[in-house]
Every structure is written in C-alpha cells, then in structure tokens.
C-alpha cells in the first residue's frame, strides 16, 4: 500500500509517514510538501528513505497534484496546514500571528483541502481520506457537566482563523464524501508534542511538554508562571498510531474523531516527570513577565480540557500510552536524536 501524507516534512505528519513505513517493509509513502525535507527530516527518514518519495509543491496549485498521478496511492492523510499559534513565553503571548498573513491561513488550510479532495475524488483505488483537523474547532468552555471529557458533537464554535479554516475544511470533507462516495473523515487533535517537534516554516509553537523536556535536559531553570496550567497532551507517536488505525479500520461509523490522551496533565506534572529523568532539575514559579513557560490557568475545559476518545476506541481499539510513559519516551528520543552525548545525562 502507498500512503500520501501532505505536509509530511513537518512535525506530526513526518511521524505519521515514518510510522507507516516502519510498520511493514512492503509499505511505501509519498510526501507532498512545500519544500524539500530539512536535515532533521532526512535523518528521521534515513532508515526507510528508499521507500519514500518526496514531491515539492504547493497544495493550492494544480501542478503538485498532477505529479501524484500514477503513483498508486491507496490512502491519504491530508495534514498540510499553517498553524499560527502564539503562546508559551511572556513575549510570545503578546503576539497575534494570525494578523501577519491572515489570507494565507485560509488559502492553505481551506483551499488546499479543496484541491486535495478534487484530486482524491478522481483517484481510482483510493480507499480512505483522513483530514487532520484540530481541537481549535471547539468552544473555550464545555461540556455542560463538570468533569466530563469533550465529545465531538455539540461544542464546535471556533474563534480563530486557524480554527475557522479547520472547521470549514471538515464540512467540505463531509460534503465531498457524500457527493462522490469517498470514505473520508476528520481527526481533531488535542495539544501535540513529541518526536520531530521543531520549528518549521508552517509552525513555530512548542507546547509545554516540549519546553519542559528540552529545558530539563539542557540544565536550564524552568520558570513557569504557575504549576496549574493544564491541557490534554498527546505524543506525536500516539497520534500516528491513531491515524493509521483509522486507515486500517474496515468500517467507520463517524465523520469526526477526537485524537487525544483523554486526561488532563498540568505543567507541574511534566516538571515532576522530567525530574525523574533529571534529578537535579530546578524549577522556580515566577511572575508572568519573567516566566519562560506561560499558561492561562483559567483555561481548563472546552478545547483546553480533556477530550472524549470513545469513538476512536470503539471503531479501532486504539488507546494512547499513559502520559508519564509517553513523556519519558520523548525525553529519551531527544537525547538519542537531538542532543550530543554528555557524561551523566540519562
């Protein structure tokens, strides 16, 4: 089987392509991305590079899609996107990156999806189309009953151009599925970190687990504005497993699936777990202006809370790893893939 992954040179999508290739020596993958693989991606794909085809092109244009014809693609994961998020440190929290180029966000995220669907509906042998959406489509608050995880239905009300473009794309995917008989669905990701999380041309934001892991391993003092900032954080490796399970599923009952850990983890949790790997880690809770990790502690439900993953569990049997286990595995990956060996480092 041959999997097409758009945006496959980036963060999560590179892991999707890599996990697909690693699971079966007969699998092949095609990446469609705006540019060539960077050095990190080349290193990541090196063991499977002979089964990977990389096509450079803009998902908004015809030429890129025409280049895919005849490659025998059997499934698509459409993840090419512009992710203009600003949070993390006090300085970054003041930025509104959506204001810098709003038209590009809508053009790439929405019209890029339309072009992908236009190609998909004409492709013989295509078995499934997975659109990679986001928890940004949800409201900032919900569910109505405290403590319940956020379901896929009833709480959709995006406020940002990113969330709006993602929701609009979901609806377009649904309509193309009905019009042309496509087996198509959308996955809504919670807050993702993990292997291959790095600054790229389309994404520059790093979630709390990424920051904590790198600061701890570098020996930096971690200075959060609070230990109580929270989120539903999931490793990119677990995301890949979830998406591939949806590609494999013989039948799916829903058009939208949450992909998440389904539990809340706090900044304090990640710092405590990091200290289990780096015993001399130092943390100082400080004022927001001096903090190197800033979170709004009032954001604990809706898109910021735990997501319900019952649909995904029922239809595929997929389950995420426990958050502590996934975070420790990520720290190990950083040591093995991003850092030079240092005596005494775990």
């Amino acid at each position: 089987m041959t999997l097409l992954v758009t945006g496959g040179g980036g963060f999560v999508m590179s892991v999707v392509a890599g996990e697909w290739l690693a699971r079966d020596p007969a699998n092949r993958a095609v990446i469609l991305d705006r540019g060539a693989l960077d050095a990190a991606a080349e290193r990541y794909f090196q063991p499977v590079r002979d089964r990977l085809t990389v096509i450079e092109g803009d998902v908004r244009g015809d030429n890129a899609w025409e280049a895919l014809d005849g490659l025998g693609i059997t499934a698509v994961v459409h993840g090419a996107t512009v992710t203009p998020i600003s949070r993390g440190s006090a300085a970054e929290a003041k930025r509104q990156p959506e204001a810098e180029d709003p038209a590009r966000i809508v053009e790439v995220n929405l019209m890029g999806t339309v072009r992908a669907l236009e190609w998909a509906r004409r492709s013989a042998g295509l078995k499934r189309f997975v659109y990679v959406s986001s928890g940004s489509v949800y409201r900032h608050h919900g569910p109505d009953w405290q403590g319940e995880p956020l379901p896929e239905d009833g709480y959709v009300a995006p406020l940002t151009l990113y969330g709006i473009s993602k929701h609009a794309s979901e609806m377009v995917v649904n309509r193309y599925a009905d019009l042309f008989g496509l087996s198509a669905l959308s996955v809504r990701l919670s807050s993702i970190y993990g292997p291959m999380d790095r600054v790229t041309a389309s994404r520059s934001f790093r979630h709390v687990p990424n920051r904590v892991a790198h600061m701890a391993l570098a020996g930096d003092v971690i200075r959060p504005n609070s230990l109580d900032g929270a989120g539903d954080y999931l490793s990119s490796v677990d995301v890949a497993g979830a998406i591939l399970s949806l590609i494999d599923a013989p039948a799916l009952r829903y058009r939208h699936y949450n992909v998440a850990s389904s539990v809340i983890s706090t900044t304090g949790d990640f710092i405590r777990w990091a200290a289990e790997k780096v015993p001399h880690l130092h943390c100082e809770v400080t004022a927001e202006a001096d903090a190197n990790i800033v979170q709004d502690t009032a954001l604990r439900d809706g898109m910021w809370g735990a997501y319900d993953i019952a649909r995904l569990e029922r239809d595929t049997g997929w389950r995420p790893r426990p958050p502590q286990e996934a975070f420790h595995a990520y720290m190990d990956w950083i040591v093995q893939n991003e850092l030079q060996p240092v005596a005494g480092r775990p």
Side-chain angles (χ1 to χ4, degrees):
M1 293 181 67
T2 300
L3 178 68
L4 168 64
V5 183
T6 69
F11 167 29
V12 178
M13 293 302 100
S14 63
V15 181
V16 171
E19 292 291 310
W20 168 260
L21 291 167
R23 68 191 298 190
D24 188 333
N27 283 351
R28 302 189 66 83
V30 178
I31 284 175
L32 172 59
D33 210 308
R34 58 178 293 180
L37 299 180
D38 63 15
E42 286 287 4
R43 287 194 302 271
Y44 178 72
F45 285 119
Q46 192 278 328
V48 293
R49 193 63 174 84
D50 59 325
R51 292 182 285 123
L52 173 65
T53 300
V54 179
I55 295 176
E56 295 181 45
D58 191 322
V59 293
R60 296 169 291 181
D62 291 334
N63 291 343
W65 295 102
E66 291 171 356
L68 300 172
D69 294 339
L71 295 180
I73 292 165
T74 51
V76 175
V77 178
H78 178 49
T81 189
V82 176
T83 311
I85 302 174
S86 176
R87 279 181 298 118
S89 69
E92 290 167 340
K94 296 177 181 179
R95 292 180 60 239
Q96 278 287 355
E98 284 192 325
E100 295 169 8
D101 196 350
R104 178 170 175 261
I105 297 166
V106 178
E107 288 170 359
V108 173
N109 294 358
L110 177 56
M111 295 312 299
T113 302
V114 172
R115 302 306 302 169
L117 290 163
E118 279 290 293
W119 178 84
R121 75 180 180 90
R122 296 191 297 267
S123 299
L126 189 68
K127 295 179 173 61
R128 186 149 293 159
F129 184 103
V130 178
Y131 173 65
V132 182
S133 187
S134 165
S136 294
V137 305
Y138 290 122
R139 286 170 22 186
H140 280 210
H141 298 289
D144 298 331
W145 300 104
Q146 187 175 3
E148 290 185 359
L150 186 70
E152 288 87 349
D153 294 329
Y155 299 93
V156 174
L159 297 177
T160 64
L161 287 175
Y162 176 68
I164 291 165
S165 64
K166 287 293 187 180
H167 186 223
S169 294
E170 289 183 2
M171 298 301 100
V172 173
V173 169
N174 292 347
R175 189 56 182 154
Y176 267 72
D178 289 339
L179 287 173
F180 304 110
L182 292 174
S183 178
L185 62 124
S186 299
V187 291
R188 295 171 178 166
L189 310 187
S190 62
S191 298
I192 311 303
Y193 74 98
M196 296 302 288
D197 190 355
R198 67 204 190 282
V199 173
T200 66
S202 298
R203 183 182 185 275
S204 60
F205 177 71
R206 297 183 300 145
H207 281 297
V208 167
N210 176 304
R211 290 173 176 269
V212 170
H214 282 89
M215 290 179 191
L217 291 169
D220 296 338
V221 177
I222 302 175
R223 298 191 304 277
N225 66 316
S226 171
L227 297 177
D228 297 326
D232 185 328
Y233 295 102
L234 186 69
S235 167
S236 54
V237 175
D238 290 302
V239 174
I243 290 175
L244 297 183
S245 73
L246 287 163
I247 289 174
D248 290 339
L252 299 171
R253 291 177 285 180
Y254 305 97
R255 293 286 179 86
H256 309 103
Y257 291 85
N258 285 336
V259 175
S261 71
S262 197
V263 298
I264 287 289
S265 299
T266 67
T267 303
D269 289 332
F270 287 109
I271 292 172
R272 185 175 70 256
W273 297 334
E276 294 171 1
K277 289 277 191 180
V278 184
H280 301 296
L281 181 151
H282 187 49
C283 171
E284 297 176 0
V285 178
T286 187
E288 182 173 313
D290 300 316
N292 52 22
I293 294 179
V294 174
Q295 284 187 290
D296 185 343
T297 58
L299 300 176
R300 301 184 68 88
D301 61 342
M303 64 178 288
W304 311 104
Y307 291 24
D308 190 338
I309 57 173
R311 285 185 180 182
L312 187 55
E313 291 178 316
R314 286 195 298 265
D315 278 7
T316 70
W318 174 86
R319 283 288 303 168
R321 291 171 294 173
Q324 181 181 11
E325 176 185 331
F327 181 66
H328 281 169
Y330 178 46
M331 292 186 72
D332 292 340
W333 187 89
I334 293 171
V335 171
Q336 295 164 10
N337 294 275
E338 294 184 356
L339 303 179
Q340 295 297 319
V342 175
R345 177 178 284 151

